Amino acid sequence: MIKKCLFPVAGYGTRFLPATKAQPKEMLPILTKPLVQYGVEEAMAAGMDHIAFVTGRNKRAIEDHFDITYELEDMISGTSKESQLDCIRSLIEQCTFTYTRQNHMRGLGHAILIGEALIGEQPFGVILADDLCVGESDGIMAQMVKAYEKYRCSIVAVEEVPVEDVDKYGIVSGQHLDDEYVRVEYMVEKPSPQDAPSNLAVIGRYILTPDIFEILRNTPPGKNGEVQLTDALQAQAANGKVIAYRFRGQRFDCGSIEGFVDATNFFFNRKP
Ligand code: G1P
């Protein structure tokens, strides 16, 4: 069983300035729920009830969100508003939350390595809350757990993207095992369209085996001078230990304004 899920949430969210000047980008709401809560719900639905955050400066609102707010809760107790807190209350009751800080922004790989203290020696999920995912039946992370149970190695969620967009993603290529799975042979972070080995892009869902930490410790800065998770995964892929999984569902890039608006419209139209 995979019990822990890591959320790297130290990034600045400069694309949403000034909205993110004094609040974490992960707290921007899609309707009434902050982005990060969708991610935690997805982890929880996959059986991961230990939620580990790698936070940074100006991110305290995330900790407060996953805690009780006595004064407010007392104030609305017994009113019609109370039920609006049901979803977050149930997460707080069911999950354990742990936090550590990334002091320097040295890339996603570095953030994951900082998270080692919260994860230890076990396979774990990673959710990048900017990528808001809606599964067709099961959530994406629950689908990935099934992929892990089948292959017992690191799993990355992938989808095809337009060729002109490959420079925004980690791109994979390898042996297509069937419609759903690719045994990854090659991974590269944000290649130019002419250098990309395919248009299969990694989106922000991973299951990682714990040997990734030792690999990350020895991974030098790569693309943009940052320690790239993609480079560490390439070391596992070289041993046939990374499977790319084409998830069933939809993903919104809520790190971009267009994706954020699309997600908002999607959830608004789906409202009961
Ligand atoms: C990160 C990863 C990249 C991945 C992407 C998914 O990039 O480095 O490999 O494809 O997340 O959203 P970022 O979007 O943080 O630049």
Side-chain angles (χ1 to χ4, degrees):
M1 284 285 271
I2 301 182
K3 299 304 289 174
K4 295 192 177 183
C5 190
L6 188 66
F7 286 74
V9 293
Y12 294 125
T14 45
R15 273 187 277 179
F16 282 88
L17 283 171
T20 48
K21 183 167 173 283
Q23 68 170 335
K25 61 176 170 156
E26 295 80 8
M27 289 301 293
L28 296 176
I30 302 289
L31 306 192
T32 54
K33 280 194 284 189
L35 258 181
V36 66
Q37 188 177 331
Y38 290 88
V40 172
E41 287 173 353
E42 186 186 329
M44 185 66 211
M48 302 173 184
D49 59 6
H50 185 135
I51 307 297
F53 288 101
V54 177
T55 72
R57 289 177 288 280
N58 291 328
K59 298 284 181 165
R60 294 237 317 255
I62 297 176
E63 289 174 55
D64 291 339
H65 186 68
F66 293 104
D67 197 355
I68 291 165
T69 315
Y70 281 109
E71 207 180 318
L72 170 80
E73 295 190 32
D74 184 56
M75 200 175 75
I76 64 172
S77 164
T79 74
S80 58
K81 301 246 167 64
E82 203 175 6
S83 63
Q84 279 184 248
L85 290 180
D86 287 350
C87 58
I88 182 70
R89 275 184 177 157
S90 98
L91 281 183
I92 293 169
E93 272 164 27
Q94 293 176 76
C95 299
T96 303
F97 299 93
T98 60
Y99 302 86
T100 189
R101 277 199 184 198
Q102 185 184 15
N103 309 126
H104 300 282
M105 298 301 117
R106 292 186 180 143
L108 178 60
H110 177 249
I112 302 283
L113 185 54
I114 298 284
E116 181 181 21
L118 306 177
I119 299 294
E121 269 294 306
Q122 54 187 300
F124 60 103
V126 174
I127 290 185
L128 308 185
D130 281 359
D131 280 332
L132 177 48
C133 292
V134 185
E136 252 167 40
S137 49
D138 289 344
I140 310 291
M141 195 44 99
Q143 295 174 29
M144 292 183 67
V145 167
K146 287 190 188 141
Y148 175 79
E149 282 162 359
K150 187 170 159 117
Y151 290 102
R152 299 270 155 191
C153 65
S154 288
I155 312 286
V156 296
V158 291
E159 70 177 4
E160 283 177 27
V161 297
V163 178
E164 63 271 22
D165 287 342
V166 291
D167 61 357
K168 296 183 187 147
Y169 300 95
I171 301 293
V172 308
S173 65
Q175 182 195 356
H176 289 250
L177 303 174
D178 55 29
D179 288 350
E180 289 186 306
Y181 298 111
V182 178
R183 191 171 292 282
V184 177
E185 287 161 2
Y186 183 57
M187 291 186 76
V188 54
E189 181 70 9
K190 304 192 174 92
S192 61
Q194 50 282 16
D195 295 334
S198 80
N199 67 337
L200 261 192
V202 177
I203 61 119
R205 298 291 181 279
Y206 308 78
I207 287 178
L208 301 174
T209 52
D211 55 309
I212 199 77
F213 295 125
E214 194 50 40
I215 301 172
L216 281 168
R217 250 188 289 286
N218 297 306
T219 301
K223 188 84 186 184
N224 302 330
E226 297 181 334
V227 178
Q228 297 295 347
L229 177 59
T230 300
D231 295 343
L233 282 165
Q234 169 62 44
Q236 291 185 332
N239 295 316
K241 297 287 191 196
V242 179
I243 292 286
Y245 168 63
R246 291 171 193 261
F247 59 94
R248 279 169 284 116
Q250 221 179 324
R251 164 251 178 189
F252 299 96
D253 173 14
C254 291
S256 76
I257 300 199
E258 305 74 49
F260 195 91
V261 172
D262 287 347
T264 302
N265 287 329
F266 176 87
F267 281 94
F268 185 75
N269 292 325
R270 210 174 74 157
K271 242 180 18 165

